[in-house]
Amino acid sequence: MGANINISEREKIKLEHQAAKLFMRWFEHETGNPIRHLWHNRPNKPDVSCRFEDDRLDLEVAHLYGSEQEAMQILGRELSDVTRNELQALDNNTEPDKRLLTALNRILLNKSVKRYKTKRVWLVIRNTHPAWMKEQIQALQHRITIPPTHPFEQIWIVGDWDGKSGIVQLFP
């Protein structure tokens, strides 16, 4: 990573690589198919690329948060009193499964309109919320809305921040 990349961009790249590595490890474990050699792409391409089935495979990486405020909290950023109050209200008044479904559907909709100059691209979503795990995602799978048109050959979710609970395939 060059000196001209700011701290926020470095953090984003680091998180994308972590998510891709967790996904690749679980994908190999569950399928027995090797997926290797992660590298970062810039700009206007999927976030990272790797080798799969003797060909290039591009991975677009997204992180699943319940809200922007939760993202700041999970990432360890300083929170204002107003934000703390919003998080408390959200935690008290919103059913966690509904927040999960809303956040996941929002990511899928936003990513569905992107276009890439590549033969193969998969979407890998890393769940960051500590209250949600692979089991909650699987339980809501029949209610997840995958837009009818999108550029992804496959869509996957890493079930938790550390990748301990495995991965879930959403599409196909």
Side-chain angles (χ1 to χ4, degrees):
M1 288 178 245
N4 61 345
I5 298 175
N6 65 35
I7 292 170
S8 177
E9 184 66 16
R10 280 189 214 146
E11 180 182 62
K12 180 181 180 289
I13 290 168
K14 181 180 175 184
L15 290 172
E16 290 166 353
H17 280 231
Q18 288 172 350
K21 286 178 183 179
L22 290 169
F23 167 74
M24 291 165 59
R25 184 178 72 218
W26 272 104
F27 184 83
E28 279 191 10
H29 173 75
E30 290 190 5
T31 68
N33 296 322
I35 186 167
R36 300 270 189 268
H37 307 297
L38 182 70
W39 68 90
H40 189 75
N41 295 316
R42 290 184 45 188
N44 298 329
K45 291 190 175 193
D47 298 312
V48 296
S49 295
C50 56
R51 299 304 268 168
F52 177 64
E53 297 175 341
D54 297 322
D55 202 4
R56 177 182 175 140
L57 172 63
D58 293 307
L59 303 175
E60 177 68 17
V61 177
H63 284 80
L64 176 65
Y65 304 103
S67 69
E68 288 184 46
Q69 291 80 14
E70 287 175 345
M72 290 186 295
Q73 182 182 38
I74 291 165
L75 294 173
R77 299 219 169 85
E78 191 172 317
L79 300 175
S80 69
D81 289 338
V82 171
T83 301
R84 273 191 205 90
N85 291 338
E86 286 179 16
L87 282 170
Q88 289 169 356
L90 185 61
D91 286 339
N92 293 333
N93 296 324
T94 307
E95 181 182 330
D97 285 352
K98 185 176 180 185
R99 265 194 300 150
L100 167 60
L101 188 61
T102 300
L104 184 52
N105 284 338
R106 184 183 68 234
I107 287 173
L108 292 169
L109 182 63
N110 291 340
K111 294 293 184 178
S112 72
V113 298
K114 289 194 166 202
R115 297 294 172 252
Y116 308 98
K117 292 181 181 179
T118 183
K119 289 191 321 186
R120 300 175 76 190
V121 62
W122 293 4
L123 176 60
V124 174
I125 302 167
R126 181 186 193 184
N127 170 31
T128 67
H129 197 290
W132 302 333
M133 297 300 232
K134 178 181 176 180
E135 294 74 21
Q136 285 89 354
I137 295 164
Q138 288 173 317
L140 292 173
Q141 201 163 5
H142 66 285
R143 296 176 49 206
I144 295 169
T145 304
I146 297 177
T149 58
H150 58 79
F152 305 110
E153 184 179 290
Q154 296 186 27
I155 300 173
W156 293 84
I157 297 181
V158 177
D160 61 276
W161 178 258
D162 295 319
K164 293 180 180 173
S165 67
I167 56 178
V168 177
Q169 186 173 13
L170 296 181
F171 178 85

